[in-house]
Amino acid sequence: MVDVWLCLVQDGNDLPAPIGTAIDEEEAVVPHRLPGSVQDHSVNGVLTSFNAEFFRIFDSSNRQGLLDAYHDQAIFTMSYFINFEHQSKQWKFDKYFADSRNFMKVNDEGKKLRVVKLGRLPIVSSFTSAFPPTTHDFGSFTVDSHIATAALIVFTVYGVFKELESEEKSAPIRAFYRTFVLIPDGAGVFKIVNDQLTLTNASGPQASNAFTNNALPSMSVAQAVPTMPSEDIKNQMIVQFSQQSGMNEGFSRQCLEVHEWNYDKAGQAFLELNGQGKIPPEAFVKSST
């Protein structure tokens, strides 16, 4: 038995009755690490296919294909640190220093702002300029979902990747964790609004087990994100479309349904038809309730 005592202190004085708890030594162990945590299992497919397509394109020869994955006002930051507890080979991180935002290493306030990439074009451009060609080990991936709703998905991907071009004698293997924040656009397609990447050296087991089971989820690009918005998102789109077009919600819904809930296409069609006088007057009659 292990006696654990909690002695409460108030104003610098010990309280007279400490609280004692007896715990069996066999039970006083750290819980086993789970392979991943997803609050809503309905998003499992979304996250799996999103990661498959995102990292497949990142590892390709043309990272410009990731432009459509990011919101126009997205933010990206990268930082690295060296974990000296890992006894594996310590690969150099010099190539990442210029763009790293590790506040423990960066004292220049100006640099802390300069290395923040704002907007999808600067973000994807930095993937070409700041990162060498890579291959990610999908078999090493662990995904933790922190928030999963129709309006917001936040999750973190852990794993390792290999640099394909390096001055080292053998290709460096890096460990990483990357947190994504996704929100749906007007068409209900999830876009990245925040992307935080942290790099570190792979542990010995990570390096030795890397690419031994590089299973790539077999989902198509079209399945990477939901093509049809949820009912909650549809209702939000109807209200917004009604406010912007002046039509009532019934006709706004019809317009969006005809164009498969593509907000931009529905808006263009409305402007064209309204300009031609082809929208009936009753479309603009709203209930007084």
Side-chain angles (χ1 to χ4, degrees):
M1 301 286 288
V2 177
D3 291 328
V4 179
W5 293 90
L6 175 62
C7 184
L8 301 180
V9 178
Q10 184 177 37
D11 297 330
N13 300 314
D14 292 342
L15 296 179
I19 301 172
T21 303
I23 302 175
D24 290 333
E25 288 188 9
E26 294 182 357
E27 297 178 357
V29 296
V30 177
H32 293 293
R33 179 176 180 273
L34 297 176
S37 174
V38 178
Q39 294 179 339
D40 184 351
H41 290 282
S42 66
V43 304
N44 266 336
V46 175
L47 299 185
T48 299
S49 51
F50 175 90
N51 289 326
E53 297 308 319
F54 180 91
F55 289 103
R56 180 188 286 121
I57 297 174
F58 194 94
D59 289 343
S60 72
S61 59
N62 183 15
R63 289 171 176 163
Q64 296 296 314
L66 290 173
L67 280 170
D68 290 338
Y70 286 87
H71 190 275
D72 287 337
Q73 300 300 317
I75 295 175
F76 170 74
T77 58
M78 183 273 294
S79 62
Y80 77 85
F81 70 94
I82 298 177
N83 188 345
F84 290 100
E85 293 182 1
H86 291 170
Q87 299 302 313
S88 57
K89 179 177 177 60
Q90 301 294 328
W91 304 105
K92 295 179 180 179
F93 282 86
D94 296 358
K95 67 183 69 177
Y96 298 104
F97 178 78
D99 292 282
S100 176
R101 203 167 184 257
N102 185 343
F103 281 11
M104 299 296 292
K105 300 293 184 181
V106 179
N107 298 318
D108 183 347
E109 295 298 326
K111 180 182 177 181
K112 292 179 181 179
L113 295 176
R114 289 194 302 272
V115 295
V116 176
K117 303 299 185 294
L118 176 61
R120 61 176 188 161
L121 285 174
I123 290 173
V124 176
S125 295
S126 73
F127 293 163
T128 301
S129 61
F131 293 88
T134 57
T135 295
H136 285 76
D137 177 12
F138 290 89
S140 72
F141 280 17
T142 296
V143 179
D144 287 339
S145 171
H146 314 297
I147 300 174
T149 68
L152 177 68
I153 297 179
V154 182
F155 65 98
T156 301
V157 183
Y158 308 84
V160 299
F161 68 89
K162 180 189 297 183
E163 294 179 4
L164 301 183
E165 292 181 4
S166 173
E167 297 178 355
E168 306 284 351
K169 293 182 179 179
S170 58
I173 295 178
R174 315 282 190 187
F176 76 93
Y177 53 93
R178 193 162 191 165
T179 299
F180 294 99
V181 180
L182 311 180
I183 63 172
D185 62 7
V189 178
F190 279 94
K191 301 283 188 179
I192 303 169
V193 292
N194 196 287
D195 178 1
Q196 298 182 30
L197 171 62
T198 302
L199 306 176
T200 188
N201 50 303
S203 66
Q206 282 179 315
S208 60
N209 293 329
F211 299 96
T212 57
N213 181 27
N214 194 26
L216 182 64
S218 57
M219 294 193 179
S220 66
V221 176
Q223 294 174 308
V225 289
T227 57
M228 189 63 64
S230 66
E231 288 302 317
D232 288 340
I233 298 300
K234 287 180 180 179
N235 291 332
Q236 295 176 30
M237 293 170 67
I238 292 170
V239 172
Q240 184 174 342
F241 198 90
S242 176
Q243 292 173 347
Q244 293 183 341
S245 67
M247 295 194 301
N248 57 49
E249 293 187 4
F251 275 83
S252 295
R253 171 182 281 276
Q254 291 180 30
C255 187
L256 289 165
E257 286 178 342
V258 168
H259 296 281
E260 298 180 337
W261 298 95
N262 186 312
Y263 198 93
D264 293 335
K265 288 184 178 180
Q268 292 173 4
F270 166 78
L271 292 174
E272 292 177 3
L273 294 175
N274 192 41
Q276 298 169 7
K278 295 183 178 180
I279 297 181
E282 57 265 30
F284 300 94
V285 176
K286 299 184 178 181
S287 61
S288 58
T289 56

